[in-house]
Amino acid sequence: MKSIRKILFASLCTLATLAVSTAALAQAYPTKPITLVVPFSAGGPTDVVARTLGAAMTRSLGQTVVVENKTGAGGTIAAAYTARATPDGYTFLIHHNGMATAPALYRKLSYKPLADFEYVSQVIDVPMTLVGRKDLPAKDFKELMAYAKAKGEKVNLAHAGLGAVSHLCGVLLRQAMDVSMTTIPYQGTGPAMNALLAGQVDLLCDQTTSTTPHIKAGMVKLFGVTTPTRLKTLPDTPTLAEQGLPGFQVVVWHGIYAPKGTPKEAIDKFGAALRTALKDPTVAKRLDELGAVVPPDDKLTPTGLQTWLEKETLRYAPVIKAAGQFAD
Ligand code: MLT
């Protein structure tokens, strides 16, 4: 009897300690800088979104959100790194469609996108643009088609690696245009854009969060947008679907994840700071000018991200397998 009492007392003490430490975390968190892992280079679209939101989140969290660029293998290095990080609420990952394409693209993935993470929220939806070097001898998409057909593999398209949306867009374009252009990988579309601006590559399909300033400054040629309808930020630019590629559509969605086991209090606080940042008038204006669209409220939740990732993973798997597109 005595020993049962002892066990009961010990269990109650453990529960009480847990409750106290959880409450303490809820009150105190965060007590040090938080790392937001970006799977691509600085200066690219994922980095732009992470830094824009990270600065606003820093204000509401009272601790710095530090962006860490962990590049390589189409985002899978950053995702693997985050999956293995200590689940203490101080490491998060921002990633896009690549989280859904990786299981089909990489047969030897060292993490399970659907099982190894806690979900925080969806973040932002971003259209893509097909842009070319300024001196490319094609004034519109029709001329670009003729040029690409005539030059074949001599025409090249830069992208951010297998699993990157710039690669996905390039491969889909090559198929839809029925051309054989060469694709060239970079560690992100930041360096890919630098190569385009320097005239070292011909084409790049990239998100408006990266291309809009260069388009507006006349530094690149814009051939079309990848959305089903025209963008309000680039109203005079026809969609690629309008220009002979019916049904062509690539829109990039983003999510924020944490290592499995991260305390719910940290997930909730980081998610709340994200939602506050997205409503900040300066941030909202900046993202709007860059063509990015904030998803509806029900998507800005852990469940909103989880159900979307599950759906997208199922959608991409047969497409990638049918195309025989393996990255390893
Ligand atoms: C991509 O998938 O193309 C990435 O978004 C590139 C990047 O963020 O640099």
Side-chain angles (χ1 to χ4, degrees):
M1 193 62 183
K2 239 185 183 171
S3 63
I4 293 181
R5 258 200 220 124
K6 258 191 193 161
I7 293 170
L8 266 177
F9 182 71
S11 313
L12 283 174
C13 286
T14 312
L15 279 176
T17 314
L18 262 179
V20 168
S21 51
T22 306
L25 176 76
Q27 266 172 20
Y29 173 86
T31 56
K32 59 178 185 176
I34 301 170
T35 299
L36 180 58
V37 179
V38 168
F40 301 99
S41 313
T46 319
D47 185 74
V48 166
V49 167
R51 286 178 199 274
T52 306
L53 291 171
M57 290 168 76
T58 294
R59 289 195 287 278
S60 64
L61 287 166
Q63 286 288 343
T64 311
V65 175
V66 182
V67 170
E68 190 176 329
N69 303 86
K70 280 223 167 289
T71 65
T76 56
I77 289 177
Y81 169 83
T82 308
R84 286 193 293 268
T86 309
D88 57 1
Y90 291 92
T91 306
F92 289 87
L93 166 76
I94 180 166
H95 202 353
H96 56 32
N97 310 44
M99 201 71 165
T101 56
L105 268 178
Y106 291 80
R107 285 165 292 188
K108 289 188 204 109
L109 211 56
S110 68
Y111 61 93
K112 296 189 193 74
L114 288 167
D116 292 352
F117 299 91
E118 302 293 345
Y119 302 92
V120 179
S121 172
Q122 285 195 46
V123 182
I124 198 93
D125 297 336
V126 189
M128 300 188 89
T129 46
L130 176 62
V131 291
R133 66 181 155 84
K134 208 176 156 187
D135 55 352
L136 199 68
K139 74 170 182 321
D140 53 26
F141 185 67
K142 197 168 160 228
E143 285 191 15
L144 178 68
M145 270 288 242
Y147 180 77
K149 280 198 192 287
K151 295 274 176 188
E153 288 173 8
K154 286 201 182 104
V155 176
N156 56 47
L157 174 136
H159 63 85
L162 287 140
V165 282
S166 46
H167 180 250
L168 177 75
C169 183
V171 170
L172 293 174
L173 265 177
R174 196 167 56 181
Q175 249 170 23
M177 291 168 74
D178 193 22
V179 294
S180 50
M181 55 195 172
T182 306
T183 61
I184 305 182
Y186 288 80
Q187 298 286 304
T189 52
M193 175 58 86
N194 288 341
L196 189 78
L197 293 172
Q200 291 158 358
V201 292
D202 299 318
L203 295 166
L204 172 65
C205 184
D206 198 10
Q207 299 171 58
T208 53
T209 33
S210 158
T211 57
T212 304
H214 303 295
I215 292 166
K216 300 249 154 140
M219 304 296 285
V220 293
K221 268 191 183 166
L222 174 59
F223 293 109
V225 298
T226 66
T227 36
T229 51
R230 292 187 185 199
L231 302 180
K232 80 169 195 267
T233 45
L234 300 164
D236 300 330
T237 307
T239 66
L240 290 168
E242 266 180 74
Q243 301 184 84
L245 306 184
F248 191 90
Q249 184 182 343
V250 189
V251 175
V252 187
W253 56 269
H254 299 78
I256 290 185
Y257 307 82
K260 192 82 188 169
T262 299
K264 184 173 178 306
E265 290 73 14
I267 302 284
D268 289 350
K269 270 205 174 171
F270 203 71
L274 169 72
R275 288 181 285 277
T276 304
L278 288 168
K279 292 207 167 79
D280 178 301
T282 315
V283 171
K285 183 169 176 279
R286 171 91 186 116
L287 291 172
D288 187 58
E289 283 166 358
L290 293 176
V293 178
V294 178
D297 284 354
D298 63 324
K299 289 192 167 192
L300 298 176
T301 60
T303 317
L305 175 58
Q306 180 173 3
T307 47
W308 187 250
L309 179 67
E310 286 167 356
K311 207 166 125 195
E312 285 285 278
T313 305
L314 288 176
R315 183 169 79 87
Y316 279 121
V319 181
I320 293 167
K321 282 194 178 121
Q325 282 284 333
F326 294 113
D328 46 11

